[in-house]
Amino acid sequence: MNVQGGATLRLLDKADKEILKLPREVKGAIYEFQHRFRKDPHSPALHFKQLKGHAQLYSARVHKDYRALLLHAGGSEYILVAVKDRKDVYENLDRIKYQINPVSGGIEFIDLVSFEENIEATRSDKAAEPAPVPVAPPSSLFTAFTREQLLDLGVSEALLGLIWKINTEEELLVLTDHAPQLTGDVLLALHDGRSVEEVLDQITTPVAAEDEVDTTDYATALARPATQVTTEDTDLREVLEDDFWRWKIFLHPTQLKIAEHRPYSGPARVTGGPGTGKTIVALHRVRHLVERLRSGESKDVLLTTFNKNLAADLRRRLLDLAGPDVAKRVEIVNIDKLATQIVAQAADGDRRRWIDDARAVQEWQAMLDELDERRWDAEFLHAEWSHVILGMAIATRADYFRARRAGRGRNISRADRAAIWQLVERYVKRLDTMGVWTYRQVAERAARLELDRKLKREAFEAAQVSSEKLHRESGISHHPRYKHIVVDEAQDLSAAHWKMLRAMIPEGPDDLFIAGDSHQRIYGNQVSLGSLGINIRGRSHKLTLSYRTTREILRAAQGVLGDGEWDDLDDGRDDLTGYRSVLHGARPALQGYATWDAELDGIVEQIREWDDIAPAAIAVCVPERHMVAEVENRLGRARIMAASIGPDGPKVHEAVHVGTMHRFKGLEYQRMIIAGVSEGLVPAARIEQYADSDPLRYRREEKQARSLLFVAVTRARDTVRITWHGEPSRFLP
């Protein structure tokens, strides 16, 4: 076969996993190789040739000791499937398999030697662990399934021999991490207990080729969605050095199916543990929605999340993923800023200052002291006002009497509610006099304004009033604010936020797309979407595979959650069943110190040992705000550049990042120290006062503290070190 001129070079999904393990100078040579190969694959310096006994497989020189393996897909199209030491290429040619999957129609490449080495390494690690008692030899996980069953489900034929030797979930995860996507998905589903019929219906059929598969036609196979490759102009440096590029190019078929689903008939939701790609799916959904709209300049899609730094991160990622033409059609703003904008538009010159929850509690306490009120404490009243009255957008005393207070703590009688309502009215007048309000007040006000806007629009439409007259007589546009709304970190929004969003957009196809995980709820907002007019039944998806955190870190994180129950945002129960990671790494290190000062010294010592990575890949997480400055100062005295994380993200990028657990929401780091995980700090000692007097509130506060620690631990990609001083937190194993 002779190709004249240049060539197209793409990278096959999962080929980067082995390439990333190569020496730095070899990876550098790969970057140069791709440009030379695209320009002229027959340059003498590349030693480009077909491998003996392989119709589609070629090799080319990357480095004096390394060769690229390339699948020919017809014409000038080539796919980079591996880079190997030259002796391994020629000694193991019979162990290299490739095919067009007869079910999915996608191109698959399998290096059996690498599979066997990775699985054997897992067995060696396991054998090194002490066995307390003799155990019987494990049996294979998949002996119950026949060859025909597995092949019909789309499992790669070349892997069957290995699959029937898999004895543990550890070995299974190693295999699925490198196996073709459909094979991995099928095996994980079977291992989770799904029947062959269920796997065929839920996993295989959705990705099966729509046309008849010719297993010799590589040109057609390259064009199918099941063949996950980079575009022909992708720079491999970006793919191998930027994690987000993988999500842009190699979106998992399950995630792609959710993101590019035909119009949902109503609100849809995706859930899953940390690192499963919920946010990535939401971003792809945004791009999909925008690309289906008519061209224009208006911002027809709203993308919102809970806090400012997450909104800024979403904006950057959407630009990277979809480019400026898509991004300009999307309003990206955190939920409280959105509410503030709506209220400001209707304020008529009423300009107020904002106060945070800490200041709001202080004002509650000041008012109670003035009234010599001792029955209710300030924190309880603030929570009742914020989460129940404002959170549910309750407007009248009668509505408050009827309100559900599920999980809010102590039971209160009708007389209690009357007394609380009276105190709330007094408190609101106090804030009015001061010219301040809380963000929860703004959210409730915005919800009312949007609902009023919606009702007026519907009334005029029912009366068949022209859009011009509607705007002239009411000042309201006849168009809803947005055509589609996408919400990330949905678990942290309050009921008032949801009422505002629901009123912004008419019910209908693709109105709301929601991504969240109740295990990561760290702000105490608990809602039932169905009761707020957001019906997601039958349009909910769950992701279970973590691509960020190693399974060792994942196990530690799940351990801190305890055995409590978690809601699903819709009056149901959620759990992390099937949640797993394909990544393997070191177990989290736990270290106690006598004092906080000694713990600070330990933080300095550990970061000095991590001198092999950039400072920005390291973070220190603490439970209380004052500890941030203390860590930052101690690192500064040790000549280690450190920067705290503020509302808009890290103040300095090229530094070790330091912040409270709340600040790390949505962020990730290669290595992390979670410090101050001491009893009395995690959870805070203040909640102990409720253990007897208000056990429901005590359990709620403890659960929120567990979620906060869970979020902190799962920010680490490769390594996490958990430290404390004095007594360790009871949440730790």
Side-chain angles (χ1 to χ4, degrees):
M1 194 274 314
N2 185 28
V3 178
Q4 300 296 322
T8 295
L9 182 65
R10 307 172 193 266
L11 179 71
L12 188 68
D13 183 22
K14 299 197 176 183
D16 57 326
K17 292 182 180 294
E18 294 299 326
I19 292 175
L20 283 169
K21 297 177 183 178
L22 296 173
R24 181 176 296 179
E25 67 271 14
V26 179
K27 285 189 282 188
I30 295 170
Y31 302 146
E32 296 302 319
F33 163 79
Q34 66 168 332
H35 297 295
R36 286 184 287 149
F37 185 86
R38 284 173 172 150
K39 184 177 181 181
D40 180 11
H42 292 285
S43 167
L46 295 179
H47 301 285
F48 179 58
K49 63 180 180 180
Q50 185 175 4
L51 291 173
K52 185 177 179 180
H54 290 271
Q56 306 295 140
L57 193 61
Y58 289 72
S59 73
R61 188 178 188 270
V62 168
H63 178 273
K64 63 184 179 67
D65 295 322
Y66 284 83
R67 300 292 181 265
L69 294 183
L70 305 136
L71 276 179
H72 181 224
S76 61
E77 294 276 2
Y78 289 87
I79 305 170
L80 177 61
V81 293
V83 176
K84 301 176 71 66
D85 190 294
R86 61 179 181 177
K87 69 177 185 302
D88 293 333
V89 172
Y90 302 115
E91 289 178 3
N92 297 296
L93 273 177
D94 61 327
R95 306 288 286 159
I96 293 174
K97 310 293 181 182
Y98 52 89
Q99 70 166 15
I100 296 174
N101 188 296
V103 175
S104 70
I107 298 172
E108 299 178 342
F109 176 83
I110 296 166
D111 178 0
L112 289 173
V113 173
S114 293
F115 274 94
E116 290 164 354
E117 288 175 349
N118 286 317
I119 291 173
E120 189 57 40
T122 299
R123 289 172 179 163
S124 298
D125 291 343
K126 203 70 177 175
E129 298 178 6
V133 292
V135 294
S139 59
S140 170
L141 300 180
F142 298 102
T143 51
F145 303 101
T146 67
R147 173 189 180 87
E148 289 71 25
Q149 285 176 321
L150 294 177
L151 292 179
D152 287 346
L153 292 174
V155 171
S156 297
E157 184 174 11
L159 284 173
L160 289 178
L162 270 179
I163 290 167
W164 283 318
K165 295 177 183 178
I166 294 295
N167 298 323
T168 67
E169 185 177 70
E170 295 283 332
E171 296 169 11
L172 171 62
L173 291 172
V174 170
L175 185 141
T176 56
D177 187 26
H178 296 81
Q181 195 69 62
L182 179 55
T183 294
D185 290 346
V186 166
L187 295 179
L188 288 172
L190 291 173
H191 179 58
D192 284 344
R194 296 191 217 180
S195 68
V196 170
E197 291 73 20
E198 288 174 326
V199 175
L200 180 64
D201 179 60
Q202 299 169 15
I203 306 294
T204 306
T205 301
V207 299
E210 295 181 358
D211 55 341
E212 186 175 346
V213 175
D214 179 350
T215 57
T216 65
D217 185 356
Y218 279 77
T220 300
L222 179 62
R224 289 194 182 100
T227 301
Q228 292 188 281
V229 292
T230 58
T231 58
E232 60 186 74
D233 60 348
T234 300
D235 189 327
L236 295 187
R237 182 183 296 272
E238 294 173 316
V239 177
L240 297 176
E241 293 185 356
D242 185 349
D243 285 340
F244 186 64
W245 264 87
R246 292 208 87 256
W247 292 109
K248 292 174 66 174
I249 300 162
F250 299 132
L251 196 66
H252 187 287
T254 302
Q255 297 162 331
L256 187 65
K257 179 184 174 185
I258 298 169
E260 298 187 357
H261 191 280
R262 65 186 184 280
Y264 290 101
S265 58
R269 178 184 64 171
V270 58
T271 65
T276 54
K278 300 180 298 298
T279 297
I280 302 297
V281 169
L283 288 169
H284 277 269
R285 186 64 182 172
V286 168
R287 181 175 70 174
H288 177 72
L289 292 170
V290 171
E291 289 175 347
R292 288 173 48 223
L293 294 171
R294 293 180 180 176
S295 60
E297 297 295 322
S298 61
K299 293 185 179 294
D300 293 319
V301 178
L302 169 67
L303 174 58
T304 188
T305 188
F306 188 76
N307 59 34
K308 289 172 64 178
N309 58 316
L310 287 180
D313 184 61
L314 290 175
R315 184 175 295 106
R316 176 183 61 80
R317 291 190 174 209
L318 186 64
L319 275 169
D320 286 346
L321 173 68
D325 288 342
V326 168
K328 72 182 181 182
R329 301 289 303 275
V330 184
E331 182 83 27
I332 306 174
V333 61
N334 69 292
I335 194 72
D336 281 324
K337 184 175 181 180
L338 178 65
T340 299
Q341 291 171 349
I342 291 169
V343 172
Q345 291 171 4
D348 296 327
D350 182 10
R351 296 289 183 263
R352 301 195 187 196
R353 293 179 292 108
W354 319 103
I355 60 174
D356 61 17
D357 282 345
R359 172 70 189 284
V361 171
Q362 290 176 3
E363 291 302 327
W364 271 109
Q365 189 59 58
M367 187 187 81
L368 295 177
D369 290 342
E370 292 168 7
L371 297 173
D372 195 27
E373 172 65 62
R374 297 289 177 261
R375 183 180 178 193
W376 312 99
D377 68 83
E379 287 194 356
F380 170 81
L381 289 172
H382 181 65
E384 186 74 6
W385 177 57
S386 298
H387 294 294
V388 179
I389 297 174
L390 293 179
M392 299 174 65
I394 292 173
T396 67
R397 183 171 177 266
D399 288 340
Y400 179 50
F401 284 171
R402 292 190 293 268
R404 293 175 56 199
R405 300 179 63 259
R408 292 314 312 169
R410 71 174 94 167
N411 294 322
I412 55 176
S413 65
R414 187 178 179 86
D416 291 336
R417 296 195 189 210
I420 291 170
W421 186 262
Q422 190 174 30
L423 289 171
V424 165
E425 289 182 326
R426 186 184 290 268
Y427 180 74
V428 171
K429 288 180 181 178
R430 180 187 185 91
L431 297 187
D432 289 345
T433 302
M434 295 169 61
V436 300
W437 51 17
T438 69
Y439 280 105
R440 294 185 186 276
Q441 277 183 292
V442 176
E444 187 269 346
R445 174 65 176 155
R448 289 181 186 281
L449 288 169
E450 284 302 296
L451 182 59
D452 184 57
R453 183 175 184 272
K454 173 189 173 185
L455 293 174
K456 286 181 179 178
R457 185 176 65 246
E458 290 176 347
F460 275 84
E461 289 173 354
Q464 297 183 334
V465 174
S466 70
S467 59
E468 293 80 6
K469 185 177 181 182
L470 169 62
H471 184 74
R472 185 174 63 252
E473 296 188 9
S474 67
I476 296 175
S477 168
H478 70 292
H479 295 297
R481 288 189 185 270
Y482 305 102
K483 291 183 171 66
H484 309 287
I485 294 176
V486 177
V487 183
D488 191 30
E489 301 294 350
Q491 73 280 350
D492 288 325
L493 272 61
S494 71
H497 290 139
W498 288 113
K499 287 187 176 183
M500 175 184 72
L501 294 175
R502 177 68 283 175
M504 280 181 172
I505 188 169
E507 294 183 35
D510 283 338
D511 49 358
L512 285 156
F513 186 86
I514 300 162
D517 173 23
S518 62
H519 299 89
Q520 298 183 64
R521 182 187 291 118
I522 61 176
Y523 293 103
N525 293 319
Q526 191 162 337
V527 301
S528 167
L529 293 177
S531 68
L532 298 170
I534 301 171
N535 179 20
I536 56 174
R537 303 291 167 86
R539 293 181 296 275
S540 188
H541 311 274
K542 187 173 184 178
L543 301 174
T544 58
L545 205 58
S546 174
Y547 298 86
R548 178 178 66 217
T549 303
T550 66
R551 47 186 175 272
E552 289 78 11
I553 294 174
L554 192 61
R555 285 172 185 154
Q558 288 177 290
V560 307
L561 286 177
D563 56 3
E565 289 188 340
W566 305 84
D567 69 280
D568 67 350
L569 304 183
D570 203 33
D571 288 331
R573 292 287 175 263
D574 192 16
D575 58 46
L576 293 174
T577 300
Y579 180 42
R580 55 167 64 90
S581 172
V582 297
L583 305 175
H584 181 58
R587 292 176 178 174
L590 281 74
Q591 177 69 54
Y593 296 88
T595 64
W596 172 231
D597 197 59
E599 190 176 356
L600 287 169
D601 287 340
I603 293 170
V604 171
E605 181 181 352
Q606 180 62 79
I607 293 176
R608 280 176 171 161
E609 291 180 10
W610 288 342
D611 61 356
D612 58 323
I613 61 172
I618 301 171
V620 182
C621 177
V622 291
E624 296 191 353
R625 193 176 301 176
H626 70 90
M627 301 171 81
V628 174
E630 292 168 4
V631 171
E632 196 174 2
N633 291 338
R634 184 64 63 91
L635 292 177
R637 292 204 303 270
R639 299 184 182 279
I640 297 172
M641 178 69 76
S644 60
I645 303 174
D648 297 313
K651 296 178 181 177
V652 178
H653 181 69
E654 295 302 327
V656 174
H657 294 163
V658 186
T660 61
M661 294 179 179
H662 284 91
R663 290 295 189 207
F664 281 96
K665 193 75 165 76
L667 303 179
E668 62 180 66
Y669 293 85
Q670 190 172 341
R671 298 174 189 171
M672 285 195 68
I673 298 172
I674 303 175
V677 189
S678 308
E679 190 66 18
L681 292 174
V682 182
R686 64 172 182 78
I687 77 167
E688 298 304 321
Q689 63 183 304
Y690 309 122
D692 296 323
S693 63
D694 196 345
L696 283 176
R697 180 176 179 181
Y698 176 77
R699 290 195 293 272
R700 185 178 73 246
E701 297 261 9
E702 187 180 65
K703 190 174 181 181
Q704 189 171 326
R706 286 186 182 275
S707 288
L708 199 54
L709 184 57
F710 175 73
V711 167
V713 174
T714 54
R715 301 308 96 190
R717 286 168 42 192
D718 303 329
T719 305
V720 65
R721 180 179 176 85
I722 302 174
T723 65
W724 64 89
H725 55 277
E727 184 181 352
S729 167
R730 59 180 178 269
F731 296 166
L732 296 179

